Amino acid sequence: MRKSELVCLVADPHFDLHHPVAWRNFRAWHKDVKPDRTIILGDLIDFGMLSYFRQDPDEPWNPIEQIKVFVKEANALAKQCGELTCTMGNHDERWSKALVASDK
């Protein structure tokens, strides 16, 4: 008989723009439960500064800072679970489009 796995799904964290209290509570739960697998379902980073939509002047303009927050949070989650998987969302695709555009 196959052993059941505890899988944690979290969607659209938009690291660097997430709700601090909600994220802190999620992290505390994640640390206590230690799921077998954690899956982040896209929109890891917002990258609003790379959008063609008009931006709020209070939004961050430096994508590197958002990447640093994502790396820090993803590394912490990875230490607390058996396996961490991240999928790309439409906001994450902004980064790859910006890299392709800058390569031309």
Side-chain angles (χ1 to χ4, degrees), residues 6-10 23-40 73-84:
L6 178 61
V7 178
C8 168
L9 299 175
V10 61
W23 187 252
R24 187 170 45 249
N25 289 335
F26 168 75
R27 285 287 310 278
W29 174 87
H30 191 268
K31 183 179 180 181
D32 288 343
V33 172
K34 295 181 177 45
D36 298 304
R37 181 178 304 186
T38 297
I39 303 170
I40 303 176
E73 296 295 330
N75 284 334
L77 290 173
K79 290 177 184 175
Q80 298 170 345
C81 65
E83 179 181 334
L84 176 67

Side-chain angles (χ1 to χ4, degrees), residues 31-88:
K31 183 179 180 181
D32 288 343
V33 172
K34 295 181 177 45
D36 298 304
R37 181 178 304 186
T38 297
I39 303 170
I40 303 176
L41 298 171
D43 291 350
L44 312 170
I45 302 173
D46 190 71
F47 290 137
M49 73 290 293
L50 301 175
S51 173
Y52 60 87
F53 293 108
R54 185 176 182 159
Q55 300 302 302
D56 181 331
D58 294 330
E59 292 293 318
W61 284 96
N62 185 348
I64 301 305
E65 292 308 312
Q66 289 186 15
I67 293 168
K68 287 179 182 178
V69 172
F70 162 68
V71 169
K72 176 183 168 229
E73 296 295 330
N75 284 334
L77 290 173
K79 290 177 184 175
Q80 298 170 345
C81 65
E83 179 181 334
L84 176 67
T85 302
C86 300
T87 63
M88 286 185 58

